[in-house]
Amino acid sequence: MCDGSQLGGDRLVWSGVAEARRLGVACVLLLLVPSPAEAAAVEDAGRLLAGLGVDAMCVQPLAVPSARDVGAVGQHGQRHRAQGSGRLAGWDESTVAGLVARLPAVALVLDPAAFAGGGDDPAAVGRRLGVAVHAVDPSGRRQPDRLSAAYVRERLLAGDVAAATEAVGCPHRVAGVVVHGEGRGNGLGFPTANLALGEHSVVPGDGIYAGWFTVVDRGWSDGGMAGGVRYPAAISISRNPTFAGRRRTVEPHVLDVSANLYGQTVTTDFVERVRVPERFDSIGELIAAMQRDVENVRLVLRDMSR
């Protein structure tokens, strides 16, 4: 059973997140447990993994088909009732077919050691069923300390989002709803979207970051922005030391476009920290630093796109 700190669970989850990002769909973490009594504990641990980029999570407290008890699926998730009465069986074509029938999934990520396909490999089974099946070896090839959730959280909290991206395979993502803040950004010429984050979000350490900003609702549009489109952003995480702020905020400034974002659910993907927060003696010094930040963000994202 994966408790959120084992390397295998981490690698499966991160592989699912990376595949979902590549396909442009949601990533659902499916935690499968052998008994209802264990569901609550696994759900609590699963929320920590969900904070590393998973869009939604399902827990199934039943006898289940995976000996590793972890799967990551693209698109939308529902609970899956597997055949069995007490022991954990391996994945085979019938159990994969049952899962696909209940999930409008475009891809599944699972552990090949738990696959009992009667000689077939998981990819071949997936082709017959019309869904991409990716077998991910939980042991991996990276160094063990770079596979653990503890390592990734440590790098994120230290502001080293680039190292976290290297370990996971995709940028760290934080989702939130745009709410009203202090309104200082407009007065400074750098309007920001103040984010109210989910309870289990893993927020990187304080700093100014180069990243990407996306409105989740693909049917939304306003001003020069549209939902589902990725925009370059300078993302501030701090307590606003120049203004003696007490509350830590996450505030993306979207470059070159503007819109009324209040009430929208958005995501921010962190690429690289360009500066640590500091207190300035004047508003002019702060504005000059913010101008430099924006230019540095442009350079980082431009280099990334090459």
Side-chain angles (χ1 to χ4, degrees):
M1 200 170 72
C2 176
D3 64 3
S5 63
Q6 293 171 329
L7 305 185
D10 295 346
R11 185 170 177 81
L12 286 173
V13 169
W14 292 332
S15 297
V17 169
E19 180 65 11
R21 302 276 181 87
R22 187 185 71 82
L23 296 171
V25 298
C27 180
V28 180
L29 172 64
L30 183 62
L31 292 169
L32 305 172
V33 297
S35 70
E38 297 179 72
V42 172
E43 186 170 4
D44 288 341
R47 289 194 183 100
L48 298 177
L49 288 174
L52 296 177
V54 173
D55 298 295
M57 182 180 69
C58 298
V59 176
Q60 182 62 63
L62 293 169
V64 296
S66 170
R68 295 285 182 174
D69 294 327
V70 173
V73 298
Q75 206 75 331
H76 305 291
Q78 299 176 2
R79 288 184 172 86
H80 165 58
R81 182 176 295 274
Q83 300 299 318
S85 59
R87 296 188 61 184
L88 299 179
W91 289 95
D92 59 19
E93 186 160 350
S94 64
T95 54
V96 173
L99 181 60
V100 171
R102 290 167 171 80
L103 294 169
V106 295
L108 302 177
V109 177
L110 53 83
D111 175 8
F115 190 76
D120 280 335
D121 64 67
V125 170
R127 285 192 293 271
R128 286 199 293 272
L129 298 174
V131 62
V133 177
H134 302 281
V136 176
D137 180 1
S139 64
R141 295 183 177 180
R142 297 187 178 103
Q143 293 299 317
D145 66 333
R146 291 176 179 264
L147 277 171
S148 69
Y151 169 80
V152 174
R153 290 191 192 94
E154 174 191 274
R155 290 296 85 213
L156 290 173
L157 296 178
D160 191 357
V161 296
T165 295
E166 181 182 2
V168 177
C170 58
H172 179 62
R173 174 173 293 178
V174 169
V177 177
V178 179
V179 297
H180 289 276
E182 299 293 335
R184 296 192 186 100
N186 283 319
L188 297 173
F190 296 89
T192 60
N194 190 57
L195 302 188
L197 304 179
E199 180 183 358
H200 297 283
S201 298
V202 180
V203 179
D206 288 1
I208 312 300
Y209 294 86
W212 302 100
F213 179 97
T214 306
V215 175
V216 172
D217 181 0
R218 293 177 178 268
W220 172 90
S221 65
D222 186 81
M225 298 183 66
V229 177
R230 190 176 72 165
Y231 295 95
I235 309 162
S236 171
I237 301 178
S238 75
R239 290 182 171 80
N240 298 303
T242 300
F243 299 97
R246 295 184 178 180
R247 187 172 64 89
R248 192 166 185 254
T249 61
V250 178
E251 301 181 68
H253 165 65
V254 185
L255 275 55
D256 305 323
V257 292
S258 62
N260 181 359
L261 295 164
Y262 292 119
Q264 292 298 317
T265 298
V266 304
T267 62
T268 53
D269 293 342
F270 293 85
V271 174
E272 184 177 312
R273 184 162 67 176
V274 299
R275 178 170 67 83
V276 296
E278 54 187 304
R279 183 185 182 281
F280 295 96
D281 294 328
S282 70
I283 299 301
E285 290 178 337
L286 172 60
I287 292 175
M290 295 170 74
Q291 290 171 338
R292 292 192 297 271
D293 293 338
V294 167
E295 291 310 309
N296 288 332
V297 166
R298 292 187 195 279
L299 290 173
V300 168
L301 299 180
R302 187 182 307 149
D303 290 343
M304 176 185 171
S305 300
R306 288 177 180 172

